[in-house]
Amino acid sequence: MILVRGGTVVTSRWSGRADVLVDGETIRAVGLDLAAGGSRVIDATGRLVFAGGVDPHVHMALPIGGGLRSSDDFSTGTRAALSGGTTTIIDFVTPVPGEALERAVEHRLVEAAGSLCDYALHVSVVSWGDRTADEMKACVDAGYSSFKVYLAYKERGLGLADGDLLGVLEAASALDAVVLGHCENGDAVSHLQRRLVGRGDRAPRFHALSRPPEVEVEAVGRAIALAGIAGCRLYVVHVSTAGAAQAIARARAAGQEVHGEVCPHHLVLDSGCYERPEREAAAFVMSPPLRPASEPPQLWNALARGTLETVATDHCPFLRRDRERDLADFTRIPNGVGGVEHRLALLWTFGVGAGRFDASRFVALACEAPARIMGLYPRKGALEPGSDADIVVWDPDRERTITAATQVQRCDTCVYEGLRVRGRAETVLLRGRVVVSRGEVERDLAPGRLLRRGPGQSRPAPQATL
Ligand SMILES: [Zn+2]
């Protein structure tokens, strides 16, 4: 048994002095002055204690064609996650053309077995045919209860036409599954890309001009409308504009179940990064792109108000040499940035530290809401008796500077390079095992566990208080 003693426990609804008693893989008790008995004691005096982070949107070893993959595999990427206080990730299964969803799951499971934190998988549905609904049911029956759809990337075989999208949403609704939507109007993006490239505007900074805010706002509105027709729960990934957040707010006010996610890069960076020299600017090519400086404050407000509910990283780093292979054409630069390691520190520093919301909201955004929406709560994302003993002992004041040279994630660049942050995961427990101590990930770690899931919950469950 382990007793985490003397810290300030933070959940989404309360915080206060409490000890946490761990028995094997689960939390046995949370309360004042718990008896240590023969337990190993972890002193959390002066520290915060909260449930392990849940990052519901990452792409480890993502194949993007030409033999290229994102630079973190499941082992290196989840080691980085643990170092930053995230104990559960949800990655994606992406079928190749013609591949049945269940087969695609089997293939991805082989890669995901290298994970060092606990993990689950969303299943991307990239085409709609006679067998798709049955394949989706087989996935849900096997514990994969969330699906991903793309309103962009038709040219890569990922995007769905609206009718096919509606088919997926109806099938998901019948299965009580949530659908994650990548919402950008792909046809409009393709048109703008062709026009920019055709007139010689090919530098990395034109990436942002090929995906203006309107392509997101339009697609979010369309996805909400189609999800409304289907009666399907919708989770909009990487919301990057105030317009999209407002569309989500309107739908929620009208009673529709729509959830919105924001990524740290859209919160702490802006499109000024594209004005840097070409080589540097290429590091910020991601979709949706960084937005003008007027947008991030509005995203922060939406997170504080509850319109937007989760912060996930869309972790998808690429090595500098892979990014710079096709510098001369922004449409050929791999899309994506890393962040799984830095999510909690960024949210703590620029959210709580900047006075935008309190520690309970921080825990809701980074731990509880992702678990709840994705069907992992209260096993994950909760610090209460019976939950998995995934526990972060957080030093709220520890300062450091983010730099690629010292980060754990496998990438030789970092979009947060030079940013000063506060807060560090000092000790991390994964199902009762100490996986991080004094801020360092243990050398030898047991494999993480695959999490099979039921349907998620749209509303917070009542939570016991002390
Ligand atoms: Zn993504």
Side-chain angles (χ1 to χ4, degrees), residues 79-122:
R79 178 173 283 276
L82 289 171
S83 78
T86 290
T87 49
T88 298
I89 56 150
I90 314 183
D91 204 289
F92 294 82
V93 175
T94 310
V96 295
E99 188 178 31
L101 298 180
E102 309 96 297
R103 287 290 298 162
V105 170
E106 284 173 26
H107 284 145
R108 192 61 167 161
L109 282 177
V110 175
E111 297 174 343
S115 183
L116 298 173
C117 70
D118 286 359
Y119 60 100
L121 298 171
H122 308 292

Side-chain angles (χ1 to χ4, degrees), residues 30 39 46 77 104 173 199 241 254 261 266 304 311 367 371 428:
V30 180
S39 303
S173 176
R199 72 184 185 203
T241 60
E261 165 196 285
H266 291 127
V311 173
C367 315
V428 179

Side-chain angles (χ1 to χ4, degrees), residues 57 59 92 148 238 314:
H57 185 171
H59 302 279
F92 294 82
K148 172 91 176 276
H238 47 50
D314 199 1

Side-chain angles (χ1 to χ4, degrees), residues 193 195-203 205-207 209 328 330:
Q193 285 180 332
R195 202 177 71 203
L196 287 162
V197 169
R199 72 184 185 203
D201 291 337
R202 302 177 184 194
R205 69 192 166 92
F206 291 104
H207 169 74
L209 300 185
F330 73 85

Side-chain angles (χ1 to χ4, degrees), residues 57-59 62 92 148 150 182 237-238 261 287 313-316:
H57 185 171
V58 303
H59 302 279
L62 177 76
F92 294 82
K148 172 91 176 276
Y150 292 88
H182 175 124
V237 297
H238 47 50
E261 165 196 285
S287 296
T313 59
D314 199 1
H315 181 78
C316 191

Side-chain angles (χ1 to χ4, degrees), residues 152-153 182-185 189 192-193 196 203-217 237-242 244 262-275 281-293 295-296 299 314 323 330 334-337 415:
Y153 300 131
H182 175 124
C183 298
E184 292 184 293
N185 183 323
V189 170
L192 292 169
Q193 285 180 332
L196 287 162
R205 69 192 166 92
F206 291 104
H207 169 74
L209 300 185
S210 73
R211 313 179 96 92
E214 291 84 349
V215 304
E216 174 175 276
V217 177
V237 297
H238 47 50
V239 172
S240 68
T241 60
V262 190
C263 300
H265 45 263
H266 291 127
L267 290 168
V268 305
L269 304 172
D270 63 58
S271 56
C273 295
Y274 298 119
E275 303 307 320
F284 298 92
V285 170
M286 84 274 287
S287 296
L290 298 175
R291 301 301 187 185
E295 298 283 346
L299 297 176
D314 199 1
R323 268 188 190 282
F330 73 85
N335 273 226
V337 299
V415 288

Side-chain angles (χ1 to χ4, degrees), residues 383-405:
L383 201 84
E384 51 186 67
S387 296
D388 280 0
D390 300 345
I391 299 171
V392 177
V393 178
W394 185 254
D395 179 347
D397 299 318
R398 175 82 171 222
E399 284 198 52
R400 65 200 169 83
T401 300
I402 295 179
T403 169

